[in-house]
Each structure stands twice: as C-alpha cells, then as structure tokens.
Amino acid sequence: MRIDKLLSNLGIGTRSEIKKMIKQKQIKINGELVKNGKDQLDPDAAQVTINDQPVAIQLTKYLMLNKPQNVITATEDASQRTVLDLISATDSVKGLAPVGRLDKDTTGLLLLTNDGQLAHRLLAPQKHVAKTYQATIDGIVTDDTVARFKTGIQLKDGTRCKPATLKIISTSEKDNQSKVEITITEGKYHQIKRMFAACGMHVATLNRIAMGPLKLDQALEPGQYRPLSESEVQSLSKLK
C-alpha cells in the first residue's frame, strides 16, 4: 500500500498534510526516512514512526472507552466535546465511530470502531444484544419494581419495552435512594430513564458496564481508553 494512503486511512492526516510531514523529515519506515509518499509498504510488516513515535498500523480499530460525563456520543460537533475528541491522533483511523450512543450524562463502556459490520451486528434490534448498567435511583426500588421490569415496562407514552432484568444492589430509606443493576436488550431513546420514570422514580446516575460479552475494564478511568484484546474482538465476532 502507498505510504500516504495508509497514513491517511489511519487518520494521521490528509495526503497533503502527510506530504508536508515527509518534507519535514518526520516520517520513517523501518528506521529510514520516507522521501516519497507514493512509495509502497507492507502494513503487516512495516514499522512506522512519526517524530520517532511508533504508529500502530491497524486498519481495523477496536477501542474500549470509559466515557465520562458531559461528553456527547458523536463523531463531531461544533460546540460540544465528543467522544472522538478523547482519542489521540495516533490512535484514530478513518471511519472510527462509536457503536450506539450513551447520553451526555451517562458514563461507562463505549465501543469505538471502524468495523461497520460488527457495529451493525451489535446494534441490530433483531440481535437482542444485552447491555448492562449500574444506576443510582432517586426512590426505593422494590420487588414489585423488579417484577414490572421482568414483564416489560410500559412507558408513559404507551410504548411497551421488552422484558428487562433489574437487580437491587442496595437501598437507603434515609436517602430515599437505590443502587441497582439493569440489563436491557433494546435501545430506545433514554430508555432506562423513561422506564424508571414510568415507575415514579428518577435516574440520578447511569453507568454502562457491559455490552454483549464485552465488559468495562475497571482499570480505565473516565476518559481513558484502550484497544480491545484479541480475545475480546473474537468474542464480539462470534455474535450471530
């Protein structure tokens, strides 16, 4: 593959920007300065550095992000910070996008990839991929609430949700709050907030901890990310 095309696909810059970097002697392949962006290289074998910093050559990228609050799940926005703004230039690739969305104030597991087929499998309604969240609820969640979630909550607008699993972690009568874990298999707009609103409760905090077989790495601080491991990618690829 041409060097300038590869680096462009990796999101390093436009071809004109890469040409300028080559002219400024910033790019090396296998320790040798690149003199012409049209030169060919083997993406599977070449070692690429920019300003002596290694560039990961992975045309298909899978990143696990621990999304913080006050960041929107979008690829670009004129006024607000997006999840892609958290990804460094050296880790970005062309077509990198979040799989699904988390609300601006919702935190936790977010997968970013340029693998469109995988994204489709994870998001397709007929696939019923489970998503698990931990939440703080203003209100006391009871066994009756758990039973309502199990049979399928009817939202205030009349929409009926698919059955969901609700587990009570703890309750505090003093604070009028509950800590819970919820697993849903669909992704309606503001679904969990609307489900609890239908029960007369308010979601104070919401944090996603799993999506299908992928679990949030507890070592990741909010705003941090890492590449998926080989086994994690394989577990997602096995989803039918």
Side-chain angles (χ1 to χ4, degrees):
M1 182 182 292
R2 280 176 48 152
I3 292 170
D4 55 2
K5 182 179 180 181
L6 171 68
L7 296 180
S8 177
N9 288 345
L10 290 173
I12 302 300
T14 64
R15 291 200 186 183
S16 60
E17 290 171 338
I18 292 164
K19 184 177 180 181
K20 183 184 294 185
M21 295 168 72
I22 291 172
K23 190 175 181 180
Q24 294 173 346
K25 300 182 179 180
Q26 297 179 29
I27 303 175
K28 292 180 182 178
I29 305 295
N30 298 327
E32 299 291 332
L33 279 171
V34 175
K35 297 179 180 179
N36 191 330
K38 296 180 181 180
D39 289 345
Q40 301 286 317
L41 83 166
D42 179 355
D44 295 323
Q47 294 181 328
V48 182
T49 60
I50 298 177
N51 294 322
D52 294 323
Q53 296 299 311
V55 175
I57 301 178
Q58 184 181 4
L59 297 181
T60 305
K61 183 82 76 170
Y62 306 92
L63 299 176
M64 176 193 297
L65 170 71
N66 186 355
K67 179 191 169 298
Q69 286 188 329
N70 301 318
V71 175
I72 64 171
T73 307
T75 55
E76 59 181 351
D77 190 88
S79 59
Q80 301 186 76
R81 199 178 188 202
T82 74
V83 292
L84 283 192
D85 291 329
L86 302 174
I87 308 302
S88 71
T90 54
D91 287 323
S92 182
V93 292
K94 187 175 183 179
L96 187 70
V99 178
R101 68 183 301 275
L102 294 177
D103 297 337
K104 185 176 180 179
D105 58 349
T106 300
T107 59
L109 175 64
L110 187 66
L111 174 65
L112 296 99
T113 185
N114 59 345
D115 185 341
Q117 291 185 338
L118 175 64
H120 175 74
R121 287 201 302 273
L122 288 170
L123 297 176
Q126 65 271 24
K127 300 300 183 181
H128 307 299
V129 174
K131 295 170 281 288
T132 301
Y133 300 77
Q134 289 181 340
T136 303
I137 308 299
D138 290 331
I140 301 301
V141 177
T142 65
D143 290 341
D144 178 63
T145 317
V146 173
R148 290 183 64 185
F149 271 66
K150 186 176 182 179
T151 57
I153 291 285
Q154 182 171 330
L155 306 179
K156 290 183 177 181
D157 65 0
T159 302
R160 170 112 11 215
C161 296
K162 287 184 171 61
T165 301
L166 175 61
K167 297 179 182 178
I168 302 170
I169 299 173
S170 65
T171 58
S172 171
E173 297 281 352
K174 177 183 176 182
D175 298 324
N176 190 38
Q177 279 194 334
S178 305
K179 304 284 187 183
V180 299
E181 185 174 292
I182 317 105
T183 300
I184 60 175
T185 57
E186 53 188 343
K188 301 184 191 304
Y189 181 70
H190 287 172
Q191 180 173 338
I192 291 177
K193 295 175 182 178
R194 294 164 67 199
M195 291 168 80
F196 279 101
C199 299
M201 302 179 201
H202 173 259
V203 176
T205 66
L206 189 61
N207 181 64
R208 185 158 68 187
I209 60 172
M211 184 176 187
L214 189 62
K215 300 185 186 306
L216 178 64
D217 186 338
Q218 297 300 313
L220 291 176
E221 296 291 335
Q224 292 184 335
Y225 64 91
R226 66 161 174 82
L228 295 193
S229 67
E230 183 86 17
S231 61
E232 287 171 332
V233 174
Q234 288 180 357
S235 70
L236 291 175
S237 67
K238 291 177 181 177
L239 292 173
K240 302 298 183 183

